Amino acid sequence: SLLVMTSIVVAVGLCKRLIRRRLYLDHRLFTVLLELLSTFQICACTNELFLLGNVEPKPHVALSLTYGFTVLHGLTLTGSTCNPCGTLQSMWSGGIPRKMGGLKIAAQFVAAVLARVFMRCIWSLGIAESHYGALSQGCSNPMQTTTMQAFCIELLFSAVFQLTFLRTERVNPKYRVHLMALLITMLVYAGGNLTGAIFNPALAFSLHPHCFYEKFLSYSLVYWVAPSLGKFFILYVF
């Protein structure tokens, strides 16, 4: 599993270097492709990481890998949002035009779907022991509480993440990435057994697509609406 995730990070890095050389004149296409590749990396690695949640000793292995790969994503995906909520925030504050924001959000959800399809192809090869049985899973039901409580948890986590993000803007980037990774690991520890602590609409759709098909209203409310409201609440207050 570690080899699979590391290979994904390396492959995405090579693809990004290639498009930087080939698309240096078309800024819009370059930006959209970078967003697609970056979101693909996060979704694909998290899909693999999700299978390791029950590896002993629990939850030490899963939390250690969450922290390590969050740091790795932070160092390798600089300049990409990888979260539709973050893109909506930039559109609302006037940081990017609406058309570009719409293209980036579309790229994020396309990347989420591609990552899910790609990982299912990898799992079908049976490279690691954790891959056996992964293809037969339907809706893994990450919500282990009521819809209203799950909504409040995802909203709270999104607000805490956004607040910390804003308060650490002036911190040295090499320290900031560790602070954000530590925060995400703490949130996963605190609420991972209740909602998965995702607070990213594209990532949630990539991890649990079957759940959205079966219970679209409740899952879209918890994993799409709640994170967006959490971010906008903090932006409005500050």
Side-chain angles (χ1 to χ4, degrees):
S1 289
L2 288 174
L3 180 61
V4 168
M5 290 188 283
T6 305
S7 299
I8 291 170
V9 173
V10 172
V12 169
L14 292 174
C15 290
K16 289 170 69 174
R17 179 173 296 184
L18 179 63
I19 66 171
R20 280 193 179 98
R21 294 178 178 178
R22 300 293 182 182
L23 300 174
Y24 60 93
L25 293 178
D26 194 334
H27 176 71
R28 179 179 296 180
L29 181 59
F30 173 75
T31 302
V32 171
L33 285 178
L34 277 186
E35 195 67 38
L36 187 146
L37 288 170
S38 299
T39 308
F40 176 88
Q41 175 178 315
I42 286 182
C43 291
C45 289
T46 309
N47 266 283
E48 182 68 25
L49 188 59
F50 186 75
L51 299 180
L52 303 178
N54 294 320
V55 174
E56 297 291 346
K58 295 190 297 185
H60 306 83
V61 172
L63 292 175
S64 299
L65 290 175
T66 298
Y67 175 81
F69 275 90
T70 302
V71 171
L72 185 60
H73 294 324
L75 294 173
T76 58
L77 304 180
T78 306
S80 299
T81 309
C82 306
N83 190 332
C85 295
T87 305
L88 285 173
Q89 165 205 328
S90 299
M91 293 167 61
W92 185 62
S93 60
I96 59 174
R98 292 184 180 181
K99 186 174 182 180
M100 174 56 71
L103 289 173
K104 291 180 71 173
I105 291 174
Q108 289 159 358
F109 276 100
V110 169
V113 174
L114 291 176
R116 181 68 178 184
V117 173
F118 174 78
M119 292 311 300
R120 289 181 71 84
C121 293
I122 295 295
W123 295 339
S124 67
L125 300 177
I127 298 174
E129 184 179 352
S130 59
H131 295 174
Y132 299 112
L135 292 175
S136 61
Q137 293 180 356
C139 174
S140 54
N141 195 20
M143 282 198 293
Q144 299 299 315
T145 182
T146 64
T147 301
M148 184 53 64
Q149 289 178 338
F151 177 87
C152 294
I153 290 171
E154 286 293 310
L155 187 149
L156 175 63
F157 284 2
S158 179
V160 170
F161 179 82
Q162 182 64 26
L163 178 61
T164 307
F165 182 83
L166 292 174
R167 300 297 291 179
T168 58
E169 281 186 323
R170 297 183 180 179
V171 177
N172 189 311
K174 65 181 180 181
Y175 301 127
R176 186 188 189 196
V177 67
H178 289 278
L179 288 174
M180 300 308 297
L182 179 61
L183 173 64
I184 290 174
T185 306
M186 291 171 63
L187 293 178
V188 169
Y189 177 72
N193 62 325
L194 297 175
T195 65
I198 301 172
F199 48 93
N200 182 332
L203 179 58
F205 188 67
S206 183
L207 289 174
H208 309 291
H210 297 290
C211 299
F212 282 91
Y213 301 151
E214 297 174 10
K215 304 175 183 177
F216 178 79
L217 184 60
S218 59
Y219 275 79
S220 60
L221 184 68
V222 171
Y223 294 106
W224 291 355
V225 177
S228 301
L229 287 180
K231 278 188 176 291
F232 281 112
F233 174 74
I234 293 299
L235 288 172
Y236 179 75
V237 170
F238 282 85

